[in-house]
Amino acid sequence: MLNQIKGLHHVTSMADDARTNNQFFTNTLGLRRVKKTVNFDAPDVYHLYYGDEVGTPGSVMTYFPFPQMAGGRAGTGEVGTTLFSVPKGALGFWQDRFAKLGVQGLKDEELFGEKRLHFAGPNGDGFALVEAANDPRTPWLHAGIDQDHAIRGFHSVAMRLNDDGATSELLKYMGYEQVDQADGVKRFAVPGGNGADVIELEIMPNIARARPGAGSVHHVAFAVENREKQLEVRKALMDTGYHVTPVIDRDYFWAIYFRTPGGVLFEIATNEPGFDRDEDTAHLGEALKLPTQHAHLRAALEQHLQPLDAETEAA
Ligand code: ZN
């Protein structure tokens, strides 16, 4: 069993409209945009990162907004819900805020002794806030959301699977322990994690596979401290029979990817070097940052990419 994985690193999803996406995550949820860059493989598409002040691993929600992308269809073989941690007693505030802002899909639930509020992102993305006891992580305070209510980072992701057997085995191999079970849901947690420690598997034998599109999670990334630990995990996964990509430099972390038995794409990402490697903490996410190989496209991309902020438009 591995011990290098310390919880979630980031979750990456797809959207259609960049500006709506930016508005939702910064103004509605009050996260900080910590990086404005482009998709490595499709540089005419943004890659937007939202999280806490510095984009601490375990807090980072990222998006590829493909203009005009069709909506996804929910199903199995995907992350169905991405859950954020908020303090105890915070859900009433969020319920009122979401109702006022017209956020869709509001639904209360209690699971594993924790209250959660489900809500939908701009493309029907499945989200929930969970009241978690004693989450010590420091929130980014923005958009009138104070310390008592602000999002701390991820609580967990919930994957929908036809059959959880192989994925449960994989999670255990990755260092997770099954900690609870209820109503067709198995809960796993990694000891000594970064706060985003939980994975839930929703077992849905008769539900069709998801069709990815806007509002779908593209992949979920797990955190390791550094490149050395990442290579240990890569070797162990390959020895177990997984097809794992070579290490890829993603500018703010190094990444390896592999497809899991239930259909979900996993990434293992390093905590190093982090989002402040190319801009000051005070100004994270403000300037358009381009990977070196796309730097020559800057003039064209600045023309092509939709402005995200009112200030940018006025400039
Ligand atoms: Zn990723």
Side-chain angles (χ1 to χ4, degrees):
M1 197 177 87
L2 302 173
N3 61 9
Q4 297 89 343
I5 291 166
K6 300 299 178 192
L8 299 176
H9 186 288
H10 63 271
V11 177
T12 294
S13 293
M14 298 177 290
D16 52 11
D17 188 71
R19 199 182 163 115
T20 304
N21 184 260
N22 180 74
Q23 170 82 13
F24 188 81
F25 286 92
T26 60
N27 289 351
T28 303
L29 296 186
L31 300 181
R32 186 181 198 192
R33 192 177 71 225
V34 293
K35 198 60 64 182
K36 180 166 75 170
T37 183
V38 296
N39 186 314
F40 275 84
D41 303 316
D44 57 334
V45 171
Y46 275 124
H47 193 179
L48 302 175
Y49 292 77
Y50 310 100
D52 67 6
E53 182 179 19
V54 294
T56 305
S59 78
V60 184
M61 185 75 220
T62 101
Y63 270 88
F64 299 128
F66 291 93
Q68 273 101 51
M69 181 182 234
R73 187 193 63 203
T76 50
E78 67 172 354
V79 171
T81 312
T82 302
L83 301 96
F84 297 97
S85 169
V86 296
K88 284 215 162 205
L91 287 188
F93 165 87
W94 285 102
Q95 178 91 43
D96 293 347
R97 181 181 180 87
F98 285 163
K100 203 179 308 170
L101 296 173
V103 174
Q104 302 292 304
L106 303 187
K107 194 183 111 203
D108 287 315
E109 189 187 21
E110 185 155 343
L111 196 59
F112 303 119
E114 291 170 335
K115 288 186 178 154
R116 48 179 76 179
L117 173 63
H118 289 267
F119 65 99
N123 291 110
D125 328 42
F127 288 118
L129 299 172
V130 183
E131 286 190 357
N134 309 318
D135 188 333
R137 293 176 288 174
T138 305
W140 175 246
L141 300 180
H142 181 65
I145 305 165
D146 67 17
Q147 177 81 22
D148 293 337
H149 304 105
I151 288 173
R152 266 49 181 175
F154 292 121
H155 172 277
S156 52
V157 292
M159 301 182 225
R160 299 192 196 105
L161 303 172
N162 284 136
D163 177 285
D164 75 292
T167 304
S168 291
E169 287 311 306
L170 171 63
L171 288 175
K172 287 177 190 166
Y173 185 66
M174 289 168 62
Y176 283 77
E177 296 169 358
Q178 188 176 333
V179 292
D180 218 334
Q181 180 159 12
D183 251 3
V185 183
K186 285 186 185 173
R187 175 177 267 207
F188 294 79
V190 68
N194 59 16
D197 302 343
V198 175
I199 302 285
E200 289 174 0
L201 302 183
E202 300 176 21
I203 303 140
M204 300 178 157
N206 301 313
I207 304 293
R209 287 291 282 254
R211 187 189 60 216
S216 305
V217 171
H218 184 271
H219 63 267
V220 54
F222 295 84
V224 291
E225 188 185 341
N226 56 38
R227 299 185 70 186
E228 187 187 340
K229 306 264 193 226
Q230 183 179 53
L231 288 176
E232 292 169 11
V233 172
R234 182 170 186 272
K235 178 173 188 319
L237 288 167
M238 290 179 68
D239 288 348
T240 313
Y242 284 97
H243 298 282
V244 186
T245 67
V247 176
I248 301 171
D249 181 356
R250 291 305 191 198
D251 281 349
Y252 308 105
F253 47 87
W254 281 272
I256 57 175
Y257 303 86
F258 64 106
R259 185 72 62 181
T260 62
V264 179
L265 183 62
F266 277 13
E267 173 183 343
I268 310 289
T270 59
N271 292 350
E272 57 178 5
F275 294 97
D276 55 359
R277 69 171 282 272
D278 62 356
E279 53 191 343
D280 288 343
T281 302
H283 295 285
L284 282 182
E286 292 176 11
L288 177 65
K289 293 294 178 183
L290 297 176
T292 311
Q293 64 269 41
H294 299 315
H296 67 285
L297 301 173
R298 175 169 290 277
L301 291 175
E302 283 177 348
Q303 281 293 315
H304 168 81
L305 290 164
Q306 183 188 20
L308 299 179
D309 307 298
E311 306 90 296
T312 317
E313 281 213 322

